[in-house]
mmCIF file of all heavy atoms in Angstrom:
data_model
loop_
_atom_site.group_PDB
_atom_site.id
_atom_site.type_symbol
_atom_site.label_atom_id
_atom_site.label_comp_id
_atom_site.label_asym_id
_atom_site.label_seq_id
_atom_site.Cartn_x
_atom_site.Cartn_y
_atom_site.Cartn_z
ATOM 1 N N ARG X 1 -76.620 -38.628 27.041
ATOM 2 C CA ARG X 1 -76.102 -39.828 27.727
ATOM 3 C C ARG X 1 -75.119 -40.565 26.738
ATOM 4 O O ARG X 1 -74.096 -41.066 27.149
ATOM 5 C CB ARG X 1 -77.203 -40.727 28.136
ATOM 6 C CG ARG X 1 -76.749 -41.985 28.956
ATOM 7 C CD ARG X 1 -77.849 -42.710 29.429
ATOM 8 N NE ARG X 1 -78.830 -43.074 28.329
ATOM 9 C CZ ARG X 1 -80.122 -43.463 28.492
ATOM 10 N NH1 ARG X 1 -80.513 -43.637 29.763
ATOM 11 N NH2 ARG X 1 -80.795 -43.780 27.444
ATOM 12 N N ALA X 2 -75.521 -40.531 25.456
ATOM 13 C CA ALA X 2 -74.583 -41.219 24.483
ATOM 14 C C ALA X 2 -73.400 -40.332 24.196
ATOM 15 O O ALA X 2 -72.241 -40.837 24.079
ATOM 16 C CB ALA X 2 -75.426 -41.414 23.211
ATOM 17 N N ILE X 3 -73.556 -39.043 24.079
ATOM 18 C CA ILE X 3 -72.440 -38.099 23.750
ATOM 19 C C ILE X 3 -71.326 -38.111 24.769
ATOM 20 O O ILE X 3 -70.140 -38.136 24.413
ATOM 21 C CB ILE X 3 -72.939 -36.658 23.559
ATOM 22 C CG1 ILE X 3 -73.831 -36.584 22.286
ATOM 23 C CG2 ILE X 3 -71.852 -35.655 23.489
ATOM 24 C CD1 ILE X 3 -74.560 -35.288 22.177
ATOM 25 N N VAL X 4 -71.713 -38.130 26.054
ATOM 26 C CA VAL X 4 -70.664 -38.021 27.155
ATOM 27 C C VAL X 4 -69.694 -39.210 27.089
ATOM 28 O O VAL X 4 -68.635 -39.091 27.656
ATOM 29 C CB VAL X 4 -71.291 -37.914 28.548
ATOM 30 C CG1 VAL X 4 -72.113 -36.660 28.664
ATOM 31 C CG2 VAL X 4 -72.106 -39.161 28.890
ATOM 32 N N ARG X 5 -70.095 -40.298 26.431
ATOM 33 C CA ARG X 5 -69.257 -41.462 26.451
ATOM 34 C C ARG X 5 -68.173 -41.369 25.384
ATOM 35 O O ARG X 5 -67.267 -42.244 25.368
ATOM 36 C CB ARG X 5 -70.166 -42.764 26.267
ATOM 37 C CG ARG X 5 -71.098 -42.986 27.392
ATOM 38 C CD ARG X 5 -71.959 -44.197 27.096
ATOM 39 N NE ARG X 5 -71.157 -45.432 26.841
ATOM 40 C CZ ARG X 5 -71.719 -46.609 26.485
ATOM 41 N NH1 ARG X 5 -72.992 -46.681 26.234
ATOM 42 N NH2 ARG X 5 -70.860 -47.626 26.317
ATOM 43 N N ASN X 6 -68.216 -40.410 24.464
ATOM 44 C CA ASN X 6 -67.263 -40.289 23.416
ATOM 45 C C ASN X 6 -67.036 -41.589 22.708
ATOM 46 O O ASN X 6 -65.907 -42.114 22.535
ATOM 47 C CB ASN X 6 -65.894 -39.768 23.934
ATOM 48 C CG ASN X 6 -66.018 -38.378 24.517
ATOM 49 O OD1 ASN X 6 -66.841 -37.606 24.025
ATOM 50 N ND2 ASN X 6 -65.234 -38.095 25.462
ATOM 51 N N PRO X 7 -68.110 -42.239 22.189
ATOM 52 C CA PRO X 7 -67.954 -43.602 21.614
ATOM 53 C C PRO X 7 -67.394 -43.515 20.183
ATOM 54 O O PRO X 7 -67.361 -42.410 19.612
ATOM 55 C CB PRO X 7 -69.406 -44.108 21.552
ATOM 56 C CG PRO X 7 -70.187 -42.894 21.386
ATOM 57 C CD PRO X 7 -69.492 -41.741 22.140
ATOM 58 N N GLN X 8 -67.055 -44.596 19.636
ATOM 59 C CA GLN X 8 -66.616 -44.704 18.219
ATOM 60 C C GLN X 8 -67.779 -44.670 17.294
ATOM 61 O O GLN X 8 -67.716 -44.164 16.181
ATOM 62 C CB GLN X 8 -65.831 -45.932 17.922
ATOM 63 C CG GLN X 8 -64.450 -46.034 18.588
ATOM 64 C CD GLN X 8 -63.582 -47.137 17.978
ATOM 65 O OE1 GLN X 8 -63.033 -46.997 16.919
ATOM 66 N NE2 GLN X 8 -63.555 -48.239 18.694
ATOM 67 N N VAL X 9 -68.922 -45.162 17.762
ATOM 68 C CA VAL X 9 -70.090 -45.293 16.908
ATOM 69 C C VAL X 9 -71.383 -44.966 17.756
ATOM 70 O O VAL X 9 -71.550 -45.443 18.801
ATOM 71 C CB VAL X 9 -70.291 -46.743 16.337
ATOM 72 C CG1 VAL X 9 -71.480 -46.760 15.383
ATOM 73 C CG2 VAL X 9 -69.006 -47.097 15.580
ATOM 74 N N PHE X 10 -72.298 -44.140 17.221
ATOM 75 C CA PHE X 10 -73.633 -43.944 17.762
ATOM 76 C C PHE X 10 -74.580 -44.885 17.007
ATOM 77 O O PHE X 10 -74.544 -45.021 15.776
ATOM 78 C CB PHE X 10 -74.117 -42.481 17.446
ATOM 79 C CG PHE X 10 -73.532 -41.478 18.341
ATOM 80 C CD1 PHE X 10 -73.330 -40.198 17.800
ATOM 81 C CD2 PHE X 10 -73.226 -41.702 19.662
ATOM 82 C CE1 PHE X 10 -72.783 -39.230 18.644
ATOM 83 C CE2 PHE X 10 -72.719 -40.702 20.447
ATOM 84 C CZ PHE X 10 -72.442 -39.454 19.935
ATOM 85 N N LEU X 11 -75.466 -45.530 17.822
ATOM 86 C CA LEU X 11 -76.555 -46.345 17.211
ATOM 87 C C LEU X 11 -77.877 -45.808 17.731
ATOM 88 O O LEU X 11 -78.036 -45.560 18.885
ATOM 89 C CB LEU X 11 -76.408 -47.806 17.638
ATOM 90 C CG LEU X 11 -75.078 -48.505 17.410
ATOM 91 C CD1 LEU X 11 -75.090 -49.916 17.838
ATOM 92 C CD2 LEU X 11 -74.674 -48.384 15.946
ATOM 93 N N MET X 12 -78.787 -45.546 16.764
ATOM 94 C CA MET X 12 -80.047 -44.948 17.144
ATOM 95 C C MET X 12 -81.200 -45.747 16.496
ATOM 96 O O MET X 12 -81.301 -45.934 15.294
ATOM 97 C CB MET X 12 -80.118 -43.485 16.633
ATOM 98 C CG MET X 12 -79.023 -42.578 17.114
ATOM 99 S SD MET X 12 -79.265 -40.878 16.712
ATOM 100 C CE MET X 12 -77.611 -40.195 17.184
ATOM 101 N N ASP X 13 -82.022 -46.279 17.405
ATOM 102 C CA ASP X 13 -83.190 -47.116 16.972
ATOM 103 C C ASP X 13 -84.459 -46.371 17.116
ATOM 104 O O ASP X 13 -85.069 -46.311 18.161
ATOM 105 C CB ASP X 13 -83.205 -48.378 17.832
ATOM 106 C CG ASP X 13 -84.124 -49.455 17.267
ATOM 107 O OD1 ASP X 13 -84.743 -49.242 16.176
ATOM 108 O OD2 ASP X 13 -84.346 -50.515 17.891
ATOM 109 N N GLU X 14 -84.924 -45.744 15.947
ATOM 110 C CA GLU X 14 -86.179 -44.979 15.907
ATOM 111 C C GLU X 14 -86.326 -44.032 17.105
ATOM 112 O O GLU X 14 -87.360 -44.056 17.801
ATOM 113 C CB GLU X 14 -87.424 -45.988 15.819
ATOM 114 C CG GLU X 14 -87.233 -46.912 14.654
ATOM 115 C CD GLU X 14 -88.570 -47.343 14.073
ATOM 116 O OE1 GLU X 14 -89.533 -46.467 14.072
ATOM 117 O OE2 GLU X 14 -88.732 -48.490 13.674
ATOM 118 N N PRO X 15 -85.365 -43.173 17.355
ATOM 119 C CA PRO X 15 -85.384 -42.318 18.562
ATOM 120 C C PRO X 15 -86.502 -41.289 18.537
ATOM 121 O O PRO X 15 -86.773 -40.622 19.509
ATOM 122 C CB PRO X 15 -84.026 -41.632 18.548
ATOM 123 C CG PRO X 15 -83.626 -41.627 17.116
ATOM 124 C CD PRO X 15 -84.184 -42.913 16.542
ATOM 125 N N LEU X 16 -87.075 -40.968 17.322
ATOM 126 C CA LEU X 16 -88.104 -39.890 17.190
ATOM 127 C C LEU X 16 -89.476 -40.375 17.188
ATOM 128 O O LEU X 16 -90.421 -39.587 17.092
ATOM 129 C CB LEU X 16 -87.779 -39.038 16.014
ATOM 130 C CG LEU X 16 -86.387 -38.491 15.883
ATOM 131 C CD1 LEU X 16 -86.248 -37.620 14.598
ATOM 132 C CD2 LEU X 16 -85.972 -37.717 17.125
ATOM 133 N N SER X 17 -89.731 -41.671 17.295
ATOM 134 C CA SER X 17 -91.011 -42.245 16.975
ATOM 135 C C SER X 17 -92.062 -41.887 18.047
ATOM 136 O O SER X 17 -93.267 -41.964 17.838
ATOM 137 C CB SER X 17 -91.000 -43.768 16.830
ATOM 138 O OG SER X 17 -90.456 -44.364 18.053
ATOM 139 N N ASN X 18 -91.608 -41.440 19.243
ATOM 140 C CA ASN X 18 -92.547 -41.129 20.337
ATOM 141 C C ASN X 18 -92.880 -39.594 20.352
ATOM 142 O O ASN X 18 -93.683 -39.119 21.223
ATOM 143 C CB ASN X 18 -91.972 -41.501 21.715
ATOM 144 C CG ASN X 18 -91.976 -42.989 21.890
ATOM 145 O OD1 ASN X 18 -92.707 -43.707 21.312
ATOM 146 N ND2 ASN X 18 -91.027 -43.471 22.746
ATOM 147 N N LEU X 19 -92.360 -38.856 19.422
ATOM 148 C CA LEU X 19 -92.608 -37.430 19.369
ATOM 149 C C LEU X 19 -93.692 -37.074 18.432
ATOM 150 O O LEU X 19 -93.942 -37.781 17.429
ATOM 151 C CB LEU X 19 -91.270 -36.646 18.928
ATOM 152 C CG LEU X 19 -90.033 -36.912 19.777
ATOM 153 C CD1 LEU X 19 -88.854 -36.129 19.204
ATOM 154 C CD2 LEU X 19 -90.310 -36.638 21.234
ATOM 155 N N ASP X 20 -94.361 -35.963 18.612
ATOM 156 C CA ASP X 20 -95.438 -35.586 17.709
ATOM 157 C C ASP X 20 -94.765 -35.018 16.404
ATOM 158 O O ASP X 20 -93.556 -34.744 16.338
ATOM 159 C CB ASP X 20 -96.322 -34.431 18.319
ATOM 160 C CG ASP X 20 -95.535 -33.205 18.657
ATOM 161 O OD1 ASP X 20 -94.959 -32.547 17.689
ATOM 162 O OD2 ASP X 20 -95.590 -32.746 19.826
ATOM 163 N N ALA X 21 -95.584 -34.860 15.348
ATOM 164 C CA ALA X 21 -95.103 -34.626 14.019
ATOM 165 C C ALA X 21 -94.201 -33.342 13.918
ATOM 166 O O ALA X 21 -93.091 -33.362 13.324
ATOM 167 C CB ALA X 21 -96.230 -34.508 13.002
ATOM 168 N N LYS X 22 -94.629 -32.289 14.523
ATOM 169 C CA LYS X 22 -93.872 -31.006 14.457
ATOM 170 C C LYS X 22 -92.549 -31.145 15.131
ATOM 171 O O LYS X 22 -91.491 -30.683 14.658
ATOM 172 C CB LYS X 22 -94.729 -29.825 15.058
ATOM 173 C CG LYS X 22 -94.060 -28.517 14.916
ATOM 174 C CD LYS X 22 -94.951 -27.390 15.492
ATOM 175 C CE LYS X 22 -94.325 -26.020 15.357
ATOM 176 N NZ LYS X 22 -95.126 -24.933 15.927
ATOM 177 N N LEU X 23 -92.554 -31.756 16.328
ATOM 178 C CA LEU X 23 -91.320 -31.908 17.073
ATOM 179 C C LEU X 23 -90.432 -32.873 16.450
ATOM 180 O O LEU X 23 -89.151 -32.717 16.488
ATOM 181 C CB LEU X 23 -91.655 -32.384 18.494
ATOM 182 C CG LEU X 23 -90.530 -32.331 19.557
ATOM 183 C CD1 LEU X 23 -89.974 -30.938 19.636
ATOM 184 C CD2 LEU X 23 -91.047 -32.781 20.896
ATOM 185 N N ARG X 24 -90.915 -33.862 15.691
ATOM 186 C CA ARG X 24 -90.086 -34.801 14.986
ATOM 187 C C ARG X 24 -89.260 -34.093 13.950
ATOM 188 O O ARG X 24 -88.041 -34.322 13.773
ATOM 189 C CB ARG X 24 -90.874 -35.901 14.287
ATOM 190 C CG ARG X 24 -91.388 -36.953 15.223
ATOM 191 C CD ARG X 24 -92.115 -38.056 14.520
ATOM 192 N NE ARG X 24 -91.201 -38.904 13.758
ATOM 193 C CZ ARG X 24 -91.467 -40.081 13.388
ATOM 194 N NH1 ARG X 24 -92.691 -40.600 13.674
ATOM 195 N NH2 ARG X 24 -90.643 -40.824 12.667
ATOM 196 N N VAL X 25 -89.886 -33.181 13.171
ATOM 197 C CA VAL X 25 -89.214 -32.427 12.138
ATOM 198 C C VAL X 25 -88.131 -31.527 12.729
ATOM 199 O O VAL X 25 -86.987 -31.527 12.243
ATOM 200 C CB VAL X 25 -90.218 -31.528 11.350
ATOM 201 C CG1 VAL X 25 -89.473 -30.590 10.370
ATOM 202 C CG2 VAL X 25 -91.202 -32.424 10.645
ATOM 203 N N GLN X 26 -88.459 -30.926 13.845
ATOM 204 C CA GLN X 26 -87.520 -30.002 14.471
ATOM 205 C C GLN X 26 -86.263 -30.860 15.050
ATOM 206 O O GLN X 26 -85.103 -30.475 14.897
ATOM 207 C CB GLN X 26 -88.141 -29.346 15.641
ATOM 208 C CG GLN X 26 -87.206 -28.439 16.496
ATOM 209 C CD GLN X 26 -87.927 -27.830 17.673
ATOM 210 O OE1 GLN X 26 -89.134 -27.648 17.678
ATOM 211 N NE2 GLN X 26 -87.169 -27.497 18.746
ATOM 212 N N THR X 27 -86.615 -31.992 15.725
ATOM 213 C CA THR X 27 -85.563 -32.771 16.339
ATOM 214 C C THR X 27 -84.673 -33.507 15.337
ATOM 215 O O THR X 27 -83.441 -33.616 15.586
ATOM 216 C CB THR X 27 -86.150 -33.722 17.324
ATOM 217 O OG1 THR X 27 -87.053 -33.102 18.193
ATOM 218 C CG2 THR X 27 -85.072 -34.428 18.178
ATOM 219 N N ARG X 28 -85.234 -33.920 14.250
ATOM 220 C CA ARG X 28 -84.392 -34.658 13.283
ATOM 221 C C ARG X 28 -83.360 -33.673 12.655
ATOM 222 O O ARG X 28 -82.246 -34.115 12.389
ATOM 223 C CB ARG X 28 -85.223 -35.311 12.164
ATOM 224 C CG ARG X 28 -85.818 -34.399 11.078
ATOM 225 C CD ARG X 28 -86.778 -35.153 10.269
ATOM 226 N NE ARG X 28 -87.291 -34.376 9.132
ATOM 227 C CZ ARG X 28 -88.462 -34.565 8.542
ATOM 228 N NH1 ARG X 28 -89.199 -35.559 8.972
ATOM 229 N NH2 ARG X 28 -88.837 -33.844 7.549
ATOM 230 N N THR X 29 -83.696 -32.433 12.540
ATOM 231 C CA THR X 29 -82.736 -31.409 12.073
ATOM 232 C C THR X 29 -81.650 -31.197 13.087
ATOM 233 O O THR X 29 -80.430 -31.112 12.709
ATOM 234 C CB THR X 29 -83.486 -30.069 11.843
ATOM 235 O OG1 THR X 29 -84.553 -30.282 10.900
ATOM 236 C CG2 THR X 29 -82.514 -29.015 11.337
ATOM 237 N N GLN X 30 -82.031 -31.211 14.350
ATOM 238 C CA GLN X 30 -81.013 -31.022 15.448
ATOM 239 C C GLN X 30 -80.047 -32.237 15.501
ATOM 240 O O GLN X 30 -78.862 -32.052 15.679
ATOM 241 C CB GLN X 30 -81.735 -30.873 16.767
ATOM 242 C CG GLN X 30 -82.534 -29.568 16.901
ATOM 243 C CD GLN X 30 -83.426 -29.533 18.178
ATOM 244 O OE1 GLN X 30 -83.616 -30.576 18.765
ATOM 245 N NE2 GLN X 30 -83.817 -28.373 18.564
ATOM 246 N N ILE X 31 -80.601 -33.466 15.289
ATOM 247 C CA ILE X 31 -79.688 -34.631 15.386
ATOM 248 C C ILE X 31 -78.747 -34.666 14.211
ATOM 249 O O ILE X 31 -77.590 -34.905 14.396
ATOM 250 C CB ILE X 31 -80.579 -35.933 15.392
ATOM 251 C CG1 ILE X 31 -81.399 -36.056 16.710
ATOM 252 C CG2 ILE X 31 -79.720 -37.185 15.116
ATOM 253 C CD1 ILE X 31 -82.248 -37.249 16.729
ATOM 254 N N ALA X 32 -79.229 -34.345 12.958
ATOM 255 C CA ALA X 32 -78.362 -34.308 11.822
ATOM 256 C C ALA X 32 -77.272 -33.318 12.041
ATOM 257 O O ALA X 32 -76.102 -33.612 11.694
ATOM 258 C CB ALA X 32 -79.183 -34.089 10.544
ATOM 259 N N SER X 33 -77.671 -32.151 12.489
ATOM 260 C CA SER X 33 -76.651 -31.027 12.666
ATOM 261 C C SER X 33 -75.693 -31.439 13.757
ATOM 262 O O SER X 33 -74.455 -31.164 13.629
ATOM 263 C CB SER X 33 -77.389 -29.746 13.070
ATOM 264 O OG SER X 33 -76.499 -28.698 13.357
ATOM 265 N N LEU X 34 -76.145 -32.037 14.839
ATOM 266 C CA LEU X 34 -75.287 -32.440 15.923
ATOM 267 C C LEU X 34 -74.260 -33.502 15.413
ATOM 268 O O LEU X 34 -73.091 -33.490 15.809
ATOM 269 C CB LEU X 34 -76.096 -33.047 17.037
ATOM 270 C CG LEU X 34 -75.395 -33.562 18.278
ATOM 271 C CD1 LEU X 34 -74.593 -32.431 18.961
ATOM 272 C CD2 LEU X 34 -76.354 -34.224 19.255
ATOM 273 N N GLN X 35 -74.781 -34.473 14.633
ATOM 274 C CA GLN X 35 -73.855 -35.512 14.210
ATOM 275 C C GLN X 35 -72.771 -34.937 13.297
ATOM 276 O O GLN X 35 -71.557 -35.369 13.386
ATOM 277 C CB GLN X 35 -74.675 -36.637 13.358
ATOM 278 C CG GLN X 35 -73.933 -37.871 13.065
ATOM 279 C CD GLN X 35 -73.100 -37.767 11.774
ATOM 280 O OE1 GLN X 35 -73.354 -36.949 10.928
ATOM 281 N NE2 GLN X 35 -72.063 -38.604 11.633
ATOM 282 N N LYS X 36 -73.073 -33.998 12.499
ATOM 283 C CA LYS X 36 -72.089 -33.332 11.600
ATOM 284 C C LYS X 36 -71.012 -32.603 12.481
ATOM 285 O O LYS X 36 -69.868 -32.622 12.241
ATOM 286 C CB LYS X 36 -72.740 -32.348 10.714
ATOM 287 C CG LYS X 36 -73.539 -33.006 9.637
ATOM 288 C CD LYS X 36 -72.627 -33.596 8.583
ATOM 289 C CE LYS X 36 -73.478 -34.182 7.445
ATOM 290 N NZ LYS X 36 -74.312 -35.355 7.798
ATOM 291 N N ARG X 37 -71.508 -32.004 13.576
ATOM 292 C CA ARG X 37 -70.627 -31.291 14.470
ATOM 293 C C ARG X 37 -69.685 -32.202 15.199
ATOM 294 O O ARG X 37 -68.496 -31.928 15.335
ATOM 295 C CB ARG X 37 -71.481 -30.503 15.438
ATOM 296 C CG ARG X 37 -70.660 -29.686 16.438
ATOM 297 C CD ARG X 37 -71.566 -28.862 17.354
ATOM 298 N NE ARG X 37 -70.903 -28.205 18.393
ATOM 299 C CZ ARG X 37 -71.439 -27.471 19.371
ATOM 300 N NH1 ARG X 37 -72.787 -27.283 19.320
ATOM 301 N NH2 ARG X 37 -70.774 -26.863 20.315
ATOM 302 N N LEU X 38 -70.170 -33.350 15.668
ATOM 303 C CA LEU X 38 -69.376 -34.269 16.449
ATOM 304 C C LEU X 38 -68.570 -35.178 15.560
ATOM 305 O O LEU X 38 -67.442 -35.680 15.974
ATOM 306 C CB LEU X 38 -70.291 -35.126 17.349
ATOM 307 C CG LEU X 38 -71.088 -34.376 18.388
ATOM 308 C CD1 LEU X 38 -72.055 -35.351 19.084
ATOM 309 C CD2 LEU X 38 -70.172 -33.761 19.400
#
């Protein structure tokens, strides 16, 4: 939903806090990789 808007700035407020520990590790890698790509 954030990506489709093509904003100048992404703001993320603890987006992984509701995920379990294993999924948090996996998802934080995906977010960091995605940010580098975009």
Side-chain angles (χ1 to χ4, degrees):
R1 184 176 53 194
I3 289 170
V4 297
R5 295 177 59 187
N6 296 327
Q8 290 194 80
V9 184
F10 284 145
L11 306 181
M12 303 188 190
D13 191 5
E14 304 209 37
L16 307 184
S17 58
N18 291 333
L19 304 181
D20 62 60
K22 184 177 180 180
L23 193 54
R24 284 184 73 159
V25 173
Q26 175 186 336
T27 308
R28 75 189 185 206
T29 303
Q30 292 172 343
I31 290 177
S33 176
L34 177 64
Q35 191 274 339
K36 290 288 182 292
R37 179 176 173 182
L38 298 174

